[in-house]
Amino acid sequence: MYQTILFDLDGTLTDSSLGIINSICFALEKMNIPIPDRKDLLPFIGPPLKESFSKFFHLSEEDSQQAVTFYRQYFSKVGLFENQLYPDVIPVLSDLRASGKELLLATSKPEIFAVQILEHFQIKDFFQVIAGASLDGHRSEKADVIQHALEMAQISDTRQCLMVGDRKHDIEGAKVHQMDAVGVLYGFGSKKELVEAGATSILDKLADLPSLIETKND
C-alpha cells in the first residue's frame, strides 16, 4: 500500500523548459560556447546540471562548474519564474492529501530554488518535505536527493513509497531505495527511456495517478 508519494519537480509538476533553456543559453554565451538549437537543449532538464554541461559540451570539471555558476546567475533572478504548472497538479495534490497520503518533493534542482518555485505556485503547503540538491554539489544525484527526502521524513521502510517522475534518473534513483516508480509521459523523458529504466507504471497524464494508487492499494 502506497502511503508516501515522492514527486520530481521539473517535467512532473512544472513545465520549466523556458527558464532552464534560457539559463543554459545565458551560461553558454558567458562561456563563449556556440548556442545550439533550443530543442537540442531539452535533455538538460532532469539530470544534474554539472553532469549535463560536461556530457553535452565536453567541458572539464572546472569549466562545467563555471557554467553552472553562470546558469544560476540568470536562473536565480529570472529563469526561476519562467515556468508554469502542468494541468491537474493542484487537483491531484489535493486529492492525495485528502486521502491521507504523505507528499514529499525530491528534485535535482537546488533546494533553495525548489522552495521558491513551490511558494510561487502556492503549492508548498501540500508537501511535508521539500528535498533538493545542494548548491555546493555534494548532493546532486537523484538517489542521494531521495535519500535526503527519506531522512527528512524519517522513513526507513520504503515499501510504502512511490516515486513519480519524468526521467530515467527518477526511476533509477527510486530503484536504489527499493521503491516503486511511476513514469509520466507529458514531461521531458520518452516512454522508451522510462521503460528501460524500469518504471513500475507509465502514465500519460498526472490526473490518472490517484486512481493508479487506489488500484495498487486495493
Side-chain angles (χ1 to χ4, degrees):
M1 181 175 182
Y2 300 133
Q3 180 57 33
T4 301
I5 317 300
L6 295 88
F7 285 92
D8 173 47
L9 182 57
D10 297 327
T12 302
L13 298 179
T14 70
D15 180 354
S16 53
S17 55
L18 178 61
I20 290 177
I21 290 175
N22 284 346
S23 301
I24 295 166
C25 291
F26 177 85
L28 294 177
E29 186 175 6
K30 288 284 190 179
M31 299 285 290
N32 295 312
I33 297 172
I35 298 173
D37 191 298
R38 291 175 67 90
K39 66 176 173 32
D40 293 332
L41 296 174
L42 287 173
F44 259 78
I45 304 173
L49 274 174
K50 187 176 177 181
E51 172 188 315
S52 293
F53 276 117
S54 174
K55 175 182 177 182
F56 290 104
F57 297 102
H58 311 291
L59 301 181
S60 66
E61 181 171 351
E62 182 180 353
D63 285 345
S64 295
Q65 186 57 56
Q66 181 60 64
V68 170
T69 299
F70 285 136
Y71 172 100
R72 288 176 178 163
Q73 284 179 9
Y74 181 93
F75 187 82
S76 63
K77 295 179 175 65
V78 182
L80 189 70
F81 305 114
E82 293 177 322
N83 200 354
Q84 60 184 346
L85 283 180
Y86 283 114
D88 303 318
V89 167
I90 291 177
V92 166
L93 296 180
S94 298
D95 187 330
L96 293 174
R97 281 299 300 272
S99 65
K101 304 304 177 190
E102 180 180 35
L103 306 185
L104 315 182
L105 188 83
T107 174
S108 293
K109 185 180 294 303
E111 203 166 284
I112 187 172
F113 296 150
V115 170
Q116 288 178 269
I117 290 167
L118 296 190
E119 288 176 340
H120 175 71
F121 288 116
Q122 299 182 335
I123 58 172
K124 179 176 177 285
D125 290 345
F126 285 112
F127 295 92
Q128 282 91 337
V129 162
I130 299 170
S134 59
L135 285 171
D136 64 7
H138 84 270
R139 184 178 63 248
S140 61
E141 297 298 326
K142 198 54 177 267
D144 295 335
V145 172
I146 291 173
Q147 178 66 36
H148 178 46
L150 295 173
E151 289 173 354
M152 291 173 72
Q154 299 183 323
I155 293 172
S156 56
D157 183 354
T158 59
R159 289 173 295 178
Q160 294 185 348
C161 296
L162 178 69
M163 180 73 208
V164 182
D166 69 310
R167 298 299 309 273
K168 67 179 182 180
H169 307 79
D170 302 307
I171 310 304
E172 292 168 351
K175 289 172 69 177
V176 168
H177 297 286
Q178 292 81 50
M179 68 175 67
D180 289 348
V182 170
V184 296
L185 295 179
Y186 55 82
F188 302 111
S190 66
K191 184 173 184 178
K192 180 175 183 291
E193 173 185 331
L194 294 167
V195 169
E196 288 180 352
T200 312
S201 305
I202 304 285
L203 294 179
D204 289 318
K205 55 185 186 295
L206 191 64
D208 293 334
L209 181 63
S211 59
L212 171 70
I213 291 171
E214 186 177 345
T215 300
K216 293 288 185 180
N217 287 346
D218 286 344

